[in-house]
Amino acid sequence: FDGLNDVKFGDDGAEPKACYCNVKTLNGEVYFVNFLVPGYEWCRQITFVPDMKYGYATIVDAHFGTENSNIDVSREFKFGALDGEFEEGGQPHDFTDELIGKAIEWKYTEKLMKIKHSYFCNLYYTYSALAPGGAWAATNPANYTKVRDNLYIFSFVEERQAGLQGLFLIDLDQVHDVGCFFGVSADHVSSACAGAKGEMASTNTIF
């Protein structure tokens, strides 16, 4: 890291590339670092979630293109540890089912209606909302990673829709998240950070 928004990134043995990054945190200890890799053969986004207290980290390596779509986002999760000395008591990041059976209504902006996320299965989730034009809902592939107690990484891909990836660091103690959307539309590539405050909700959705 060379500055607030400057990071150099390189795969093993490769020349590091200068990247513009966004850095967010909910507690001053676990960070959400997000950047696009310039000049990559696919459009590629790296998200790095380090725990600077306990020394564990997750990398989500995402790019455009799957076996079924050239715009759906494919991603790979990598769990590891940071070099250096850190406090004892943490645990390595790993996939989890602890969010299963919960639901949260998220409010991203004052102008946008609440969007409900229902985490009902370790491979899928459902989002729903009562929009001005009527009610809508969809179910998409999802992954859940535990960072700490009540702190999770939630990732989904809007399969058979826009194809974008949503990737969020969720703090259940604050019911607050921070993250990003990565995908392609008709005229641009998005790698925009976002955040929301939420309320725990019923998993039943009735319009």
Side-chain angles (χ1 to χ4, degrees), residues 194-205:
K197 293 185 177 181
E199 297 178 349
M200 303 303 296
S202 169
T203 55
N204 295 325
T205 300

Side-chain angles (χ1 to χ4, degrees), residues 28-80:
E29 295 177 350
V30 179
Y31 292 84
F32 187 95
V33 182
N34 189 70
F35 56 92
L36 292 175
V37 181
Y40 194 64
E41 59 184 300
W42 297 306
C43 190
R44 183 184 185 192
Q45 176 183 270
I46 300 292
T47 304
F48 176 45
V49 181
D51 185 332
M52 301 306 296
K53 181 177 182 179
Y54 296 120
Y56 296 107
T58 295
I59 288 177
V60 183
D61 191 346
H63 62 79
F64 291 162
T66 68
E67 61 181 357
N68 299 313
S69 170
N70 62 352
I71 64 169
D72 279 9
V73 173
S74 176
R75 69 260 202 250
E76 179 183 2
F77 290 78
K78 302 175 183 179
F79 306 123

